[in-house]
Amino acid sequence: MTQPFNFEQALKDLQAGKNLTGKDSILGPLIKQLTEAALQAELEQHLAHDEQPNRKNGKTAKTIKHLSGSFELETPRDRNGSFEPQLIKKNQTTLTDEIDRKVLSMFSMGMSYRDINQHVEEMYGINVSSATINAITDKLIPELKAWQQRPLDSHYPIVWLDAIHYKVKEDGRYISKAVYTLLALNMQGKKEILGLHLSDNEGANYWLSVLTELNNRGVKDILIACVDGLTGFPEAIASIFPNTETQLCVIHQIRNSMKYVASKNQKAFMADLKCVYRAVSKEAAELALDELEAKWGEAYPLVINSWRRKWHNLSHYFKYPEHIRKVIYTTNAVEAVHRQFRKLTKTKGAFPNENSLLKLLYAGILNASNKWTMPIHNWSLCLSQLAIYFEGRLDSVLEI
């Protein structure tokens, strides 16, 4: 039988320095007493309104976890089995969802299940098994599915598209899968992740399906799409958004170029290459590219040909002012998101299934989105200039 809460002893314990909440807390017995009293009142009200003959029929014990530890709760029963307690439902094992929120918060910071359990046990004296943590974090999956299908705005001035790769277990073996991330600047100049998709590998064909889904979810126009140098990417974008300007990532192009330059020549080659991508105008950049080819073309024709072949999509940024150039000449914005993903997943190595990966990345997105409350620097100026460069394209959504 539950012992009445001893207020005099609780006062002495508090004066002696015992914790008010947490493991072995002073309030633990009081919470148990109040909870059982509330359930008893629920049963009595149920019996008073029950149309069938009914009466009390003992109690059932179960362990309840709460922020002040855990206790054995004695839940009253009725003879007919029609009593459904509301304060603590039949399969409920926590008093509030606060512990669930704590677990999700730690999970979203990339903490391992073992660390989460240890932290919860230290704080509240509760052992949270891996199965319990998994059940709590699985609550993110329906939310993730709804987020992936949510309607989107009709216009986005700038979108960055990139992929990151993870090992995921499938049919008994671990295979590499590509996670496709679409990061946008919306009309308010705030960052927004439009989607997160998983595929066996990164390719223009799959990007085509991703972009088609984007269009189906309400996106009608993108002014500038910033992408890496994946073959067929600009064509995939043009097939769904024919008016979108595709800017290839200059940083990706530089990195790929330097792979084919001998180490002894890399410093000199890089100095000449800077004259190309840091030129003040497209015309100046093309002159610098001619000079680069005259000096290095015979030694590194593959590199020069790559710049020539991709020049149309590499050079768009030259026509914009500096503050727009900084935003679009590289995919660093979405790569920064991927760096956050790597922080979350660095202790994981590989994932047992797709959902275990996606729910962790989604938790990371929720954390990141909470910080994206302000527009990027000089956004008002950027937007007004983009409206001029892309005349008429934003008229229907600009608030003037």
Side-chain angles (χ1 to χ4, degrees):
M1 183 175 179
T2 302
Q3 295 295 321
F5 182 73
N6 189 328
F7 285 94
E8 290 184 5
Q9 184 60 47
L11 181 59
K12 290 178 182 178
D13 290 340
L14 185 60
Q15 292 171 336
K18 190 174 181 180
N19 291 332
L20 192 63
T21 59
K23 185 178 181 181
D24 300 323
S25 69
I26 295 171
L27 292 181
L30 178 59
I31 293 172
K32 169 180 169 66
Q33 183 177 334
L34 291 173
T35 305
E36 290 180 346
L39 290 175
Q40 189 66 38
E42 279 191 35
L43 176 61
E44 290 174 359
Q45 186 178 28
H46 172 74
L47 294 176
H49 294 85
D50 199 344
E51 296 179 357
Q52 301 296 324
N54 201 357
R55 59 187 174 86
K56 297 178 182 178
N57 188 34
K59 298 177 180 179
T60 301
K62 66 177 178 179
T63 301
I64 294 295
K65 300 170 183 175
H66 65 107
L67 295 183
S68 295
S70 61
F71 61 85
E72 287 295 316
L73 176 70
E74 294 181 344
T75 304
R77 298 178 304 188
D78 66 322
R79 189 74 171 178
N80 294 344
S82 57
F83 174 54
E84 293 285 348
Q86 297 302 305
L87 179 62
I88 303 290
K89 301 188 186 316
K90 286 188 175 180
N91 295 319
Q92 186 177 336
T93 58
T94 58
L95 189 58
T96 70
D97 63 356
E98 182 66 22
I99 294 173
D100 288 8
R101 290 198 295 270
K102 294 285 186 185
V103 168
L104 287 172
S105 176
M106 289 183 280
F107 175 73
S108 69
M109 292 186 287
M111 292 178 65
S112 66
Y113 282 14
R114 179 182 296 178
D115 289 341
I116 292 173
N117 179 38
Q118 183 179 356
H119 192 69
V120 171
E121 190 164 15
E122 287 176 355
M123 289 179 64
Y124 310 118
I126 301 170
N127 183 278
V128 184
S129 67
S130 294
T132 300
I133 296 173
N134 202 53
I136 292 171
T137 56
D138 276 351
K139 294 178 182 178
L140 289 173
I141 295 174
E143 188 179 327
L144 165 64
K145 302 297 184 186
W147 175 83
Q148 287 177 315
Q149 301 300 321
R150 76 194 189 284
L152 297 173
D153 294 343
S154 60
H155 292 69
Y156 287 93
I158 301 170
V159 175
W160 297 272
L161 306 96
D162 200 8
I164 185 172
H165 297 82
Y166 288 101
K167 294 290 185 181
V168 178
K169 192 172 186 180
E170 189 174 280
D171 298 328
R173 62 190 183 93
Y174 287 95
I175 63 173
S176 180
K177 296 230 172 189
V179 176
Y180 295 78
T181 309
L182 296 90
L183 174 68
L185 278 185
N186 58 29
M187 291 298 296
Q188 291 73 45
K190 298 177 183 178
K191 293 179 182 177
E192 176 186 345
I193 294 184
L194 306 183
L196 203 63
H197 305 264
L198 197 62
S199 175
D200 288 345
N201 49 62
E202 185 181 6
N205 286 339
Y206 191 78
W207 272 118
L208 181 62
S209 66
V210 170
L211 292 163
T212 300
E213 181 183 307
L214 210 61
N215 185 235
N216 291 338
R217 289 167 59 198
V219 180
K220 302 306 178 189
D221 196 6
I222 297 170
L223 299 186
I224 305 172
C226 309
V227 303
D228 61 16
L230 182 68
T231 302
F233 212 160
E235 292 77 12
I237 294 171
S239 66
I240 306 299
F241 300 102
N243 297 320
T244 296
E245 185 174 277
T246 302
Q247 171 65 52
L248 292 182
C249 177
V250 175
I251 301 302
H252 272 85
Q253 180 68 13
I254 294 169
R255 289 174 189 162
N256 292 334
S257 297
M258 297 311 291
K259 293 177 184 177
Y260 299 96
V261 177
S263 56
K264 64 179 181 180
N265 293 328
Q266 284 188 355
K267 187 175 181 179
F269 187 91
M270 190 64 189
D272 294 333
L273 186 58
K274 282 182 181 178
C275 297
V276 178
Y277 67 86
R278 289 187 176 177
V280 296
S281 66
K282 184 176 180 180
E283 292 74 18
E286 289 173 346
L287 286 174
L289 184 57
D290 290 339
E291 293 173 4
L292 184 75
E293 182 173 14
K295 184 175 179 179
W296 298 100
E298 187 174 338
Y300 304 113
L302 186 66
V303 174
I304 302 300
N305 289 339
S306 176
W307 281 84
R308 294 289 190 192
R309 187 175 66 254
K310 299 177 181 178
W311 185 247
H312 174 70
N313 292 119
L314 280 168
S315 60
H316 287 303
Y317 73 102
F318 284 115
K319 67 184 177 184
Y320 299 108
E322 184 65 21
H323 47 272
I324 296 180
R325 285 192 191 190
K326 286 182 178 180
V327 177
I328 68 170
Y329 88 104
T330 174
T331 55
N332 274 353
V334 68
E335 288 178 11
V337 174
H338 287 168
R339 284 194 291 273
Q340 294 301 312
F341 285 172
R342 290 189 183 96
K343 286 181 181 179
L344 290 177
T345 59
K346 64 182 179 181
T347 61
K348 303 298 188 290
F351 292 84
N353 52 61
E354 292 184 358
N355 279 340
S356 65
L357 169 60
L358 288 175
K359 71 181 180 183
L360 178 54
L361 298 184
Y362 177 64
I365 289 172
L366 294 179
N367 268 355
S369 300
N370 289 334
K371 301 174 184 177
W372 295 337
T373 57
M374 298 295 291
I376 65 168
H377 185 60
N378 279 334
W379 176 245
S380 296
L381 180 60
C382 288
L383 184 60
S384 62
Q385 290 175 340
L386 287 172
I388 295 171
Y389 282 111
F390 297 92
E391 186 178 358
R393 300 264 295 276
L394 299 178
D395 288 355
S396 62
V397 288
L398 281 175
E399 298 177 1
I400 299 177

